[in-house]
Amino acid sequence: MMDGGGGSAPNTKKWVVLYPVYINSKKTLAEGRRIRTEKACENPTCIEIGDCCHHLKVPYAIEIDKAYPRDFMQVGRVRVLLKKEDGTFFNPAISSRKQLMLHVAELLPRHAGRTKKQEPASSSNAGPSKSVKGGKKKR
C-alpha cells in the first residue's frame, strides 16, 4: 500500500533521499554524517533543507513520517530530484548527492529561521551571570 500524497508519492520513489543527519556537524561518520565537519551545519531540519532546495531551484518533497534507519529518533527526510526527464540537471551546479549536500549545508547557516533564533539567545545574558557567583576567577 502506498501513501496517498496527492498522486505525487509514486513519482518521488526514484528521487535522491537526503536525511538531515547527512549534513549534521554534531554527528560522527559512524552516526551517519556524509560530509566534512567543517562544511556541515549544526542540527539541520527537514524544513530548512527543503527551503534550501527551493532556493537552489531543485524539486523536493519533505517526508516527515520517515525516520533515519540508524537513529529512528531522527524523524523526517527530504527527497530531491536532481535530473529532468531528458537527463539534464535542474541546477547545473548540482550533479550529485554530495554536491547537493555541500550546497545545502553552505546555505543552511544563512537560513531565515536560524538567524532569527540566534538573536534572542545572544541578548539574554542575565542567566549565566548568576552562576558565576562563588566560582573561581583568574585575574
Side-chain angles (χ1 to χ4, degrees):
M1 278 173 47
M2 283 194 216
D3 291 334
S8 64
N11 302 341
T12 61
K13 274 250 186 245
K14 292 219 161 86
W15 292 18
V16 172
V17 175
L18 184 62
Y19 286 100
V21 177
Y22 292 173
I23 57 173
N24 190 345
S25 62
K26 294 280 186 194
K27 298 287 181 186
T28 63
L29 286 171
E31 289 171 326
R33 181 172 42 82
R34 292 201 178 177
I35 58 175
R36 291 195 352 232
T37 316
E38 300 85 51
K39 304 240 182 202
C41 56
E42 209 172 294
N43 302 321
T45 65
C46 291
I47 284 79
E48 290 170 342
I49 293 171
D51 290 345
C52 291
C53 290
H54 179 75
H55 177 78
L56 293 166
K57 295 178 175 57
V58 207
Y60 68 96
I62 298 172
E63 298 176 330
I64 297 293
D65 57 328
K66 300 294 183 180
Y68 185 58
R70 284 192 222 170
D71 179 11
F72 56 87
M73 296 304 285
Q74 187 78 40
V75 181
R77 72 180 179 194
V78 182
R79 288 230 185 221
V80 184
L81 184 62
L82 297 178
K83 289 182 181 179
K84 298 177 188 168
E85 281 188 28
D86 62 356
T88 58
F89 295 104
F90 279 98
N91 186 336
I94 300 169
S95 59
S96 68
R97 290 168 197 244
K98 191 82 148 197
Q99 285 177 331
L100 175 69
M101 287 182 232
L102 292 170
H103 277 81
V104 169
E106 189 184 316
L107 285 171
L108 264 174
R110 299 194 295 265
H111 188 271
R114 287 185 174 241
T115 50
K116 285 176 192 168
K117 283 180 196 169
Q118 288 169 356
E119 286 169 16
S122 61
S123 63
S124 61
N125 290 333
S129 63
K130 290 176 186 174
S131 63
V132 175
K133 197 175 184 181
K136 281 187 184 177
K137 270 192 181 178
K138 291 184 179 180
R139 276 200 183 176

